[in-house]
């Protein structure tokens, strides 16, 4: 073992923090820091194990009477004094080293560019031309009438042409899908197929009310319920394994598929009991087991199945704070039929919060200078990830600038605050360091993509990469320090390299998430600190 009193021989970390308090983990970490292979005893107390590992590394005897008597934190501080180290508990970082090379610390240069990141932002109607800001999602709101013109015949090809599946797929956009049985309009009509209207005996309510005109089916009708099961099953067969479809909004019930019906003094449209509405929900759960599902209201099954939620009145302060946010925070009793809806305050940590701007085309008012601060606050309070299909008019400079402020608050927004590393080992072939990753958004990323750290040459080519984080979706809003160790290939040519960070899209195998950082390679790796490799 090396004698650590001869500090000129091996670089000694001045500040080390450890990923936990398990003896084996810390012992190995210290061994790595001093460039030694540390044998760790098994079956001992945590304090004794750690002390033994550390003291073996520095060539000192183990004082069992000390480690068995003192708290583990005291043991750490006592034994690591021999390394000239200050112990801070948390995660592994390296702040400064006493060797000649020292620590490399890199702070990226931020940018203000609008980012077209996957699964967040504005989601314009897929039948249109998109929107002026960068976007990655498009919206597909279908009526049953257009989807199944005759029993068992599903006209997917015609619909996919109408919603520009080919174009959007070629541009890398993903779809949000909702099915509706009742879309209020300005003229009398039905949104279920004529054949189904006939088979159900016209059971339901033809209405002309405050929301418009249309037909609300009798959702408790057994024929309708069974036909709906077949419909959703066909949709699942078509899109359940289709990566082009990102999210499924559970529409089906209520006006616009928003799970409510008009219940006014002169017009009362019944809403089904919770046992019936739950049957509709189960159709989606059965047919889309691998898709992320969202509901307009937090029915018990939504809570039990970890679903997301969507707010189709986003921007309207009374509806967003007084209803949507209050509902998910506290739960509520439905005024439609007295059913109790549970609180789901933390749903957004596992599944997205989506929505649509209130007031139809008038939703652009939420981007005006006198309202944008409140709109941003509402987005953060509700952990909003996307808005669609009603997106704001951004044709004027002020609205476009304020749209950028809103987009920055929506969903995730990753950036690297800093990266630090040092070269260790007798041949300087061990890179030990950490980076400070920040999620400046209001929600996590909802897919288990891997975060990687790479070493790139001066041409931007990756010469080595390691797994840094298996699931970027675990990074909530805030900061997290990610430690790493990278062994430099022995045959790597001498020269100047850079560490680099990327979140990898599993579909392409390439970097898939953009960050507001200036320096990056041509294929999307974000450049960090410099690494000088010598022979």
């Amino acid at each position: 073992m090396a004698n650590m009193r001869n500090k000129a021989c091996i670089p000694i970390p001045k500040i080390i923090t450890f990923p936990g308090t398990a003896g084996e983990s810390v012992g190995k970490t210290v061994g790595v820091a001093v460039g030694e292979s540390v044998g760790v005893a098994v079956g001992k107390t945590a304090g004794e194990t750690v002390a033994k590992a550390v003291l073996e590394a520095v060539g000192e005897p183990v004082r069992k009477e000390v480690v068995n008597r003192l708290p583990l934190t005291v043991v750490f501080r006592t034994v690591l004094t021999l390394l000239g180290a200050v112990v801070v508990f948390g995660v592994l970082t390296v702040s400064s080293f006493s060797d000649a090379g020292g620590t490399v610390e890199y702070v990226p240069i931020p940018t203000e560019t609008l980012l077209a990141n996957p699964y967040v932002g504005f989601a314009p109607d897929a039948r249109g031309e998109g929107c002026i800001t960068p976007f990655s999602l498009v919206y597909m709101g279908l009526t049953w009438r257009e989807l199944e013109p005759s029993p068992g015949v599903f006209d997917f090809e015609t619909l996919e042409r109408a919603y520009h599946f080919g174009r959007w797929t070629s541009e890398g956009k993903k779809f949000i899908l909702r099915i509706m049985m009742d879309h209020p309009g300005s003229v009398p009509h039905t949104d279920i197929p004529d054949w189904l209207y006939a088979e159900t005996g016209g059971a339901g309510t033809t209405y002309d009310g405050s929301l418009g005109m249309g037909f609300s089916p009798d959702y408790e009708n057994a024929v309708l319920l069974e036909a709906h099961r077949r419909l959703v099953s066909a949709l699942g067969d078509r899109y359940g394994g289709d990566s082009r479809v990102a999210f499924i909004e559970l529409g089906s019930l209520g006006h616009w598929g928003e799970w409510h019906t008009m219940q006014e003094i002169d017009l009362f449209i019944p809403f089904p009991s919770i046992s019936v509405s739950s049957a509709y929900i189960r159709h989606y759960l059965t047919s889309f087991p691998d898709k992320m599902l969202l509901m307009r209201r937090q029915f018990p099954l939504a809570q039990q199945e970890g679903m997301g939620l969507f707010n189709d009145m986003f921007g309207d302060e009374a509806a967003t704070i007084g209803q949507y946010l209050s509902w998910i925070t506290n739960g509520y009793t439905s005024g439609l039929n007295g059913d109790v809806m549970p609180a789901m305050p933390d749903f957004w940590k596992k599944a997205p919060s989506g929505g649509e701007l209130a007031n139809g085309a008038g939703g652009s008012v939420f981007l005006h200078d006198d309202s944008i601060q409140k709109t941003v606050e509402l987005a953060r309070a509700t952990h909003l990830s996307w808005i669609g299909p009603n997106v704001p008019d951004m044709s004027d400079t002020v609205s476009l600038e304020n749209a950028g402020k809103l987009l920055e608050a929506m969903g995730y927004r990753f950036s690297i605050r800093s990266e630090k590393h040092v070269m260790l080992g007798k041949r300087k072939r061990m890179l030990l360091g950490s980076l400070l990753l920040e999620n400046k958004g209001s929600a996590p990323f909802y897919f288990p993509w891997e975060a990687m750290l790479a070493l790139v040459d001066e041409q931007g080519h990756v010469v080595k990469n390691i797994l840094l984080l298996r699931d970027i979706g675990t990074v909530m809003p805030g900061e997290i320090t990610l430690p790493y160790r990278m062994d430099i290939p022995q045959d790597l040519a001498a020269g100047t390299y850079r560490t680099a960070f990327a979140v990898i899209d599993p579909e392409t195998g390439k970097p898939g998430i953009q960050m507001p950082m200036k320096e990056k390679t041509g294929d999307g790796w974000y450049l960090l600190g410099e690494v000088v490799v010598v022979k």
Side-chain angles (χ1 to χ4, degrees):
M1 289 290 180
N3 186 342
M4 291 308 297
R5 288 171 180 162
N6 183 5
K7 295 185 179 181
C9 297
I10 300 175
I12 303 169
K14 291 298 185 184
I15 299 178
I16 304 175
T17 65
F18 295 110
T21 57
E24 183 175 353
S25 174
V26 177
K28 289 181 178 177
T29 300
V30 173
V32 167
V34 299
E36 294 289 342
S37 175
V38 179
V40 181
V42 178
K44 303 287 185 181
T45 65
E48 181 178 342
T49 302
V50 175
K52 182 177 177 61
V54 175
L55 292 171
E56 283 180 357
V58 300
E60 295 287 341
V62 179
R63 298 179 60 191
K64 291 184 180 180
E65 70 276 10
V66 174
V67 299
N68 285 334
R69 187 170 64 245
L70 296 176
L72 192 56
T73 56
V74 176
V75 174
F76 283 158
R77 287 186 171 90
T78 301
V79 298
L80 288 175
T81 299
L82 292 168
L83 296 177
V86 177
V87 180
V88 183
F89 295 94
V91 293
L92 173 64
T93 65
V94 181
S95 293
S96 64
F97 287 73
S98 61
D99 65 308
T103 297
V104 173
E105 178 171 1
Y106 177 82
V107 177
I109 301 171
T111 65
E112 301 299 327
T113 305
L114 290 179
L115 306 175
N117 266 326
Y119 307 112
V120 292
F122 295 136
D125 192 319
R127 293 170 295 185
E129 293 299 316
C131 63
I132 193 171
T133 60
F135 64 101
S136 65
L137 294 167
V138 288
Y139 197 94
M140 188 177 181
L142 302 174
T143 64
W144 193 342
R145 184 183 189 87
E146 58 186 331
L147 182 57
E148 191 180 8
S150 56
V153 177
F154 301 96
D155 197 1
F156 291 117
E157 289 78 9
T158 299
L159 286 173
E160 289 176 5
R161 285 194 298 270
Y163 284 85
H164 305 312
F165 257 64
R167 171 190 172 182
W168 298 130
T169 299
S170 69
E171 295 182 16
K173 314 302 184 189
K174 304 292 186 180
F175 286 80
I176 301 167
L177 176 63
R178 186 195 301 192
I179 303 300
M180 295 168 284
M181 296 194 219
D182 173 13
H183 190 294
S186 58
V187 296
H189 69 286
T190 59
D191 291 305
I192 61 172
D194 290 339
W195 62 265
L196 183 57
Y197 181 87
E199 285 190 7
T200 59
T205 304
T206 298
Y207 62 83
D208 181 357
S210 59
L211 299 180
M213 291 185 281
F215 175 75
S216 177
D218 176 3
Y219 297 111
E220 300 202 1
N221 183 280
V223 174
L224 181 75
L225 189 61
E226 173 58 21
H228 183 270
R229 184 194 63 77
R230 295 194 302 267
L231 169 73
V232 177
S233 178
L235 286 166
D237 290 342
R238 183 75 172 192
Y239 300 120
D242 191 338
S243 63
R244 297 174 300 177
V245 176
F247 306 111
I248 306 292
E249 287 187 342
L250 274 66
S252 298
L253 302 190
H255 310 304
W256 299 286
E258 292 183 1
W259 294 68
H260 66 86
T261 53
M262 285 184 282
Q263 295 187 353
E264 303 169 353
I265 295 176
D266 56 350
L267 177 61
F268 185 91
I269 302 176
F271 193 81
S273 65
I274 200 163
S275 61
V276 173
S277 60
S278 294
Y280 283 94
I281 296 172
R282 290 190 180 93
H283 295 166
Y284 285 94
L285 291 170
T286 300
S287 300
F288 292 99
D290 299 319
K291 288 294 182 187
M292 207 159 288
L293 308 179
L294 294 87
M295 291 196 67
R296 178 67 176 95
R297 298 161 190 263
Q298 68 272 26
F299 279 72
L301 271 177
Q303 180 193 49
Q304 295 167 24
E305 299 294 334
M307 293 186 191
L309 299 172
F310 60 91
N311 170 27
D312 280 354
M313 289 294 288
F314 177 76
D316 182 295
E317 186 173 0
T320 300
I321 297 296
Q323 294 182 349
Y324 183 69
L325 189 57
S326 175
W327 292 347
I328 62 180
T329 302
N330 306 307
Y332 74 104
T333 300
S334 173
L336 297 172
N337 52 19
D339 291 328
V340 176
M341 303 297 166
M344 291 176 58
D346 294 326
F347 80 92
W348 60 273
K349 294 181 180 179
K350 296 295 184 182
S353 173
E356 183 177 21
L357 284 178
N359 302 338
S364 298
V365 68
F366 303 123
L367 296 185
H368 291 175
D369 279 341
D370 59 355
S371 57
I372 185 59
Q373 182 177 350
K374 176 57 67 175
T375 304
V376 169
E377 290 173 359
L378 293 178
R380 289 194 175 278
T382 58
H383 303 280
L384 187 69
S385 281
W386 47 261
I387 293 174
N390 177 29
V391 299
D393 176 10
M394 296 169 282
S395 56
D396 65 277
T397 303
V398 171
S399 294
L400 182 59
E401 180 180 338
N402 287 337
K405 297 176 183 177
L406 175 58
L407 289 169
E408 288 183 3
M410 291 167 58
Y412 62 92
R413 188 174 175 86
F414 298 126
S415 64
I416 304 297
R417 293 285 302 277
S418 65
E419 186 262 347
K420 304 175 184 179
H421 65 257
V422 68
M423 298 288 285
L424 296 176
K426 295 176 182 179
R427 297 186 59 196
K428 298 288 186 181
R429 290 284 167 159
M430 181 195 302
L431 193 64
L432 186 68
S434 66
L435 56 84
L436 183 60
L437 175 65
E438 182 178 21
N439 180 355
K440 299 176 70 174
S442 56
F445 182 73
Y446 293 106
F447 298 86
W449 291 13
E450 294 179 341
M452 306 290 291
L453 186 80
L455 193 65
V456 301
D457 62 22
E458 292 179 312
Q459 288 72 46
H461 301 138
V462 174
V463 298
K464 167 86 175 184
N465 63 62
I466 60 171
L467 178 65
L468 192 61
L469 186 64
R470 189 165 299 282
D471 182 1
I472 195 69
T474 61
V475 180
M476 295 292 142
E479 296 178 349
I480 180 173
T481 302
L482 301 175
Y484 70 84
R485 168 185 167 171
M486 179 186 290
D487 294 322
I488 307 298
Q490 294 297 320
D491 59 352
L492 186 64
T496 301
Y497 298 82
R498 299 277 295 272
T499 54
F501 175 87
V503 179
I504 304 301
D505 181 344
E507 284 189 39
T508 65
K510 299 178 181 179
I513 290 181
Q514 299 181 40
M515 298 191 293
M517 295 163 55
K518 185 176 182 179
E519 290 191 286
K520 66 178 180 178
T521 66
D523 56 357
W525 287 86
Y526 286 89
L527 295 170
L528 302 171
E530 187 176 276
V531 176
V532 178
V533 174
V534 297
K535 282 297 185 183

